[in-house]
Amino acid sequence: MAMIGVLGGMGPMATADLFVKMIENTKAQTDQEHLSILIYNNPHIPSRIDAILHGAPSPEAELVRSAKLLERSGANFIVIPCNTAHFWFAAVQKAVTIPVLHIIDTVAEHLLQAQKYEAQEIMLFATEATIRTGLYQQRLSQKGLAFLTPQPEEQWLISQAIAEVKSGHINGSPCLERLREMMACYSRSGVKAFIAGCTEIPLLFAKVQGDFKTVDPTLLLAQRAVQLARKLERKEQERAVCIRV
């Protein structure tokens, strides 16, 4: 039986969002037809943002320890519901023998399949650390994809909104209306879609009123994880048949 390993806790609500989206994208009629998912919700991973922007302690060692724990516990592959944590992706992947799916690669694949956005028609909302390190820029530029990023004063608003989600304050957040106004302004200027490049942002987008096209990396990662798990299960079933024959 295939098992998905979730390296979570960055933050817990984003981890729960990925779990829900994996369930919602699994075809199943009974409990027994759902996938095995092992979630390590580790809230003790040091701040990725503080490490990048302010030289605070690196989360690398705790990310690696968490990945190894998931591997030892039987996970066939790992997903990480945190975009900024992918700054340490290479170290995590090197530390384990099982695959670690890259959340930004899933976005690149989705945009390439869509083939409907020009460089000035899509915008990235993410943490300041994700934007400064160029995680999306590097990964997407390799695929010939480009996008807009917010101005500094707009980035401050996005960072505040992300912090409110992490603290559990989404409903009634004063950031929601300001975020809606910013998205409406960019939509009028020609932006057709907004990438939720932080796993807290899909939770914000769900509360923002307006007809905005969004790209949800958490959803794309959930769908990819489910597809891979089902593929692994089919291979196990085929091997079992061969052995019986």
Side-chain angles (χ1 to χ4, degrees):
M1 185 65 68
M3 181 182 290
I4 302 171
V6 179
L7 202 172
M10 304 173 283
M13 289 185 71
T15 300
D17 186 41
L18 174 68
F19 181 44
V20 169
K21 286 170 179 171
M22 287 193 291
I23 294 170
E24 290 176 341
N25 284 272
T26 300
K27 291 182 179 179
Q29 299 297 321
T30 65
D31 293 345
Q32 293 73 27
E33 293 177 356
H34 278 276
L35 294 165
S36 296
I37 302 172
L38 179 62
I39 299 174
Y40 182 31
N41 187 70
N42 182 1
H44 303 296
I45 299 171
S47 169
R48 287 67 58 201
I49 296 172
D50 288 347
I52 291 170
L53 298 182
H54 308 300
S58 171
E60 181 177 314
E62 194 65 17
L63 286 167
V64 166
R65 186 189 71 80
S66 300
K68 288 181 175 179
L69 183 152
L70 288 167
E71 181 177 32
R72 290 196 305 271
S73 300
N76 295 94
F77 62 91
I78 294 171
V79 291
I80 307 174
C82 173
N83 288 264
T84 310
H86 283 67
F87 182 71
W88 294 273
F89 176 86
V92 174
Q93 180 60 89
K94 184 179 179 180
V96 295
T97 60
I98 57 177
V100 183
L101 305 190
H102 201 295
I103 193 170
I104 301 173
D105 284 347
T106 66
V107 176
E109 292 166 8
H110 170 77
L111 293 176
L112 285 171
Q113 291 174 1
Q115 294 183 336
K116 59 182 179 181
Y117 299 119
E118 301 295 333
Q120 302 300 311
E121 294 179 344
I122 192 162
M123 188 166 204
L124 173 67
F125 284 179
T127 65
E128 183 179 353
T130 293
I131 291 178
R132 279 204 196 179
T133 54
L135 287 173
Y136 270 83
Q137 292 92 320
Q138 294 167 12
R139 225 62 191 192
L140 269 61
S141 65
Q142 293 173 359
K143 307 291 186 181
L145 299 165
F147 50 86
L148 298 171
T149 55
Q151 297 298 313
E153 62 275 13
E154 297 167 335
Q155 182 59 49
W156 181 88
L157 171 62
I158 293 168
S159 297
Q160 286 296 112
I162 291 170
E164 289 191 352
V165 176
K166 287 183 177 292
S167 67
H169 301 134
I170 303 179
N171 295 322
S173 166
C175 291
L176 290 176
E177 179 57 24
R178 294 170 64 190
L179 188 61
R180 186 201 66 77
E181 291 173 356
M182 184 171 71
M183 294 173 72
C185 181
Y186 275 108
S187 293
R188 290 192 294 270
S189 68
V191 171
K192 294 182 179 178
F194 299 88
I195 301 174
C198 169
T199 46
E200 271 75 34
I201 292 179
L203 297 165
L204 283 168
F205 281 171
K207 303 291 184 179
V208 173
Q209 296 183 350
D211 186 20
F212 303 112
K213 174 68 175 178
T214 61
V215 177
D216 182 352
T218 303
L219 173 60
L220 297 174
L221 183 64
Q223 292 171 336
R224 186 179 176 195
V226 169
Q227 291 168 359
L228 179 55
R230 287 302 195 207
K231 181 179 180 180
L232 292 173
E233 286 186 342
R234 288 194 296 271
K235 286 185 177 180
E236 288 181 3
Q237 291 169 358
E238 290 169 0
R239 283 197 294 268
V241 170
C242 291
I243 292 171
R244 289 198 297 272
V245 172

